DNA sequence: GTTGAGCGTT
């Protein structure tokens, strides 16, 4: 079985670049997902059937698609967050029958007499939670909360399986909507959703459209867990409906209280580096500090300028790496620092502590003068990811030692 | 030439 699978993907008439490893990675992931799905039934040629599911809150029934004769749990949960299964009334006995769930928990298996001619009802883990989710006040955050209801402890990372043991990973924030850029205008919602369901559980997704219904070319997706979100973000280049897409954490949306994402400025780069190298080096390094950490984004300015930005899923990992001061990439040492947010992203307004001339030369606040109080343990007390602030504004101001001009106070 | 940036709500 070591032969290349002769898939009918010969229709790649478009751009077939030499970016191999990322694509292979995608294929591997998709293959995994495929294997997980091809359980028993094998009727690929059949048109997708739909089953009718009654909404527990009494709204209109929803039709869910079947895939190869099964219904994906992720599909169910995308429509009914918190759902753990389906049931239907047995016409002979009048009793409710539960739809069988396969051991992996990913698939709902067809009843022995098929999906047809039945109305299914959703089984929700906790009714009270669902009610709470529907309360308008907390609608958005409740939506997120729902996800974990079937599996109360967070499912950090699929690879580790059950969450029986606590890991040396601190609690990361909830998944966020990820922006998907470069979506083909003809790509439909189903296809869009399906793509991400092959990677993990999708709780929300949407292609943005104009008023006339035409696609804007981008969309959003939210995965059920941070682990799955990281899985998505770790893929450098997505191929959705035959088109290359980028998936990123939207600007300004990653900081809800605490940042779960952290960006590193990488200086002193040579023009030989490419994105994949940076992903590898920083990804490996990050995992030595936080095992679930992944590189979620790499930005290299187009006319090469000797620097790059590497974003990690873990602020702690980013801090840890940066605290080393440098890292070896391609045999050369590169400079590291925490990326400064752009002006509009700075929650504290302009640089109060810095004379105007220093605003572009920010000496990192985290590389503190030696003659001052000891390091405040960056991640212990880090209320805001990008800017470790002193508790007292008078404690510390930064200016160049040789500078004769006075600080403003 | 050591600080970027495709971006949503009904």
């Amino acid at each position: 079985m070591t032969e290349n699978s002769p898939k009918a993907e010969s229709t790649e008439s478009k751009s077939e670049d030499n970016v191999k490893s990322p694509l292979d990675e995608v294929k591997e992931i998709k293959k995994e997902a495929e294997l997980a799905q091809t359980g028993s039934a094998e009727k690929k040629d059949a048109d997708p059937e739909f089953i009718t599911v009654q909404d527990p809150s009494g709204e209109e029934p929803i039709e869910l698609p079947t895939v190869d004769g099964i219904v994906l749990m992720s599909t169910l949960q995308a429509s009914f967050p918190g759902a753990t299964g389906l049931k239907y009334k047995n016409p002979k006995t009048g009793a409710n029958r539960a739809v069988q769930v396969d051991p992996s928990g990913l698939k709902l298996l067809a009843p022995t007499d098929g999906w047809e001619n039945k109305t299914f009802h959703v089984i929700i883990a906790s009714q009270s939670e669902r009610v709470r989710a529907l309360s308008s006040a907390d609608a958005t955050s409740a939506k997120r909360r729902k996800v974990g209801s079937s599996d109360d402890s967070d499912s950090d990372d699929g690879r580790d399986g059950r969450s029986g043991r606590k890991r040396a990973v601190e609690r990361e924030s909830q998944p966020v909507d990820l922006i998907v850029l470069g979506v083909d205008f003809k790509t439909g919602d189903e296809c869009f959703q399906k793509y991400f369901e092959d990677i993990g559980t999708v709780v929300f997704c949407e292609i943005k459209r104009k008023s006339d219904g035409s696609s804007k070319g981008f969309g959003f997706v939210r995965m059920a867990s941070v682990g799955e979100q990281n899985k998505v973000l770790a893929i450098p280049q997505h191929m959705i409906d035959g088109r290359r897409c980028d998936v990123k954490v939207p600007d300004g949306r990653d900081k809800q209280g605490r940042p779960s994402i952290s960006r590193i400025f990488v200086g002193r780069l040579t023009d030989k580096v490419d994105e994949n190298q940076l992903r590898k080096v920083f990804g490996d390094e990050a995992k030595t500090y936080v095992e679930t950490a992944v590189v979620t984004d790499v930005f290299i300015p187009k006319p090469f300028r000797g620097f790059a930005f590497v974003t990690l899923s873990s602020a702690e990992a980013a801090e840890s790496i940066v605290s080393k001061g440098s890292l070896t990439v391609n045999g050369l040492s590169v400079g590291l620092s925490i990326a400064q947010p752009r002006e509009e992203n700075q929650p504290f307004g302009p640089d109060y502590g810095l004379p105007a001339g220093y605003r572009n030369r920010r000496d990192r606040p985290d590389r503190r003068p030696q003659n001052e109080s000891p390091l405040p343990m960056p991640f212990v007390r880090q209320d805001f990811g990008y800017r470790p602030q002193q508790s007292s504004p008078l404690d510390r101001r930064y200016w160049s030692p040789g500078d004769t001009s006075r600080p403003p106070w």
Side-chain angles (χ1 to χ4, degrees), chain A residues 124-161:
Chain A
I124 299 274
S126 160
Q127 199 74 14
S128 60
E129 278 222 356
R130 180 170 173 79
V131 170
R132 204 183 316 155
L134 294 175
S135 91
S136 54
D138 196 14
T140 47
S141 59
K143 239 195 277 176
R144 280 196 291 274
R145 228 181 299 277
K146 292 264 37 163
V147 174
S149 57
S150 62
D151 178 321
D152 59 303
S153 58
D154 63 84
S155 46
D156 270 336
D157 193 332
R159 270 175 301 191
D160 274 21

Side-chain angles (χ1 to χ4, degrees), chain A residues 5 11 31 46 58 81 98-99 102 108 133 168 177 263 296 301 318 342 358:
Chain A
S5 55
T11 54
K31 213 174 289 178
V99 171
D102 89 313
L108 294 152
D177 290 353
R263 189 164 295 173
T296 62
R342 293 201 77 212
Y358 290 81

Side-chain angles (χ1 to χ4, degrees), chain A residues 175-189:
Chain A
V176 297
D177 290 353
L178 304 174
I179 188 165
V180 185
L181 302 163
V183 180
D184 195 291
F185 293 112
K186 71 167 163 42
T187 298
D189 299 274

Side-chain angles (χ1 to χ4, degrees), chain A residues 188-260:
Chain A
D189 299 274
E190 323 76 26
C191 177
F192 186 71
Q193 176 173 346
K194 177 81 166 65
Y195 172 82
F196 292 102
E197 280 177 346
D198 284 349
I199 303 175
T201 302
V202 174
V203 266
F204 165 81
C205 73
E206 174 189 31
I207 291 179
K208 283 297 164 190
R209 301 178 180 283
K210 303 173 188 171
S211 49
D212 64 0
S214 60
S215 169
K216 284 185 176 176
F218 70 93
F220 292 87
V221 61
R222 182 154 74 232
M223 308 304 288
S225 68
V226 171
E228 288 163 307
Q229 169 172 294
N230 285 344
K231 209 166 162 186
V232 170
L233 289 170
I235 299 171
Q237 193 84 74
H238 296 260
M239 185 67 73
I240 304 175
D241 205 8
R243 185 139 193 130
R244 295 194 163 168
C245 300
D246 288 333
V247 181
K248 300 181 175 183
V249 175
D251 282 351
R253 307 287 169 168
D254 57 336
K255 300 187 276 292
Q256 1 170 324
R258 292 175 149 210
S260 58

Side-chain angles (χ1 to χ4, degrees), chain A residues 382-400:
Chain A
Q382 191 167 323
D383 297 325
F384 307 98
Y386 291 118
R387 265 201 161 186
Q389 286 286 304
Q390 322 315 323
S391 46
S392 164
L394 295 180
D395 270 344
R396 178 160 340 295
R397 300 289 164 133
Y398 297 95
W399 71 94
S400 173

Side-chain angles (χ1 to χ4, degrees), chain A residues 49 57 79 82 92 136 144 168 186 189 233 265 349 359 374:
Chain A
E49 297 172 8
S57 62
S79 295
K92 292 175 184 168
S136 54
R144 280 196 291 274
K186 71 167 163 42
D189 299 274
L233 289 170
F265 172 81
R359 297 183 55 181

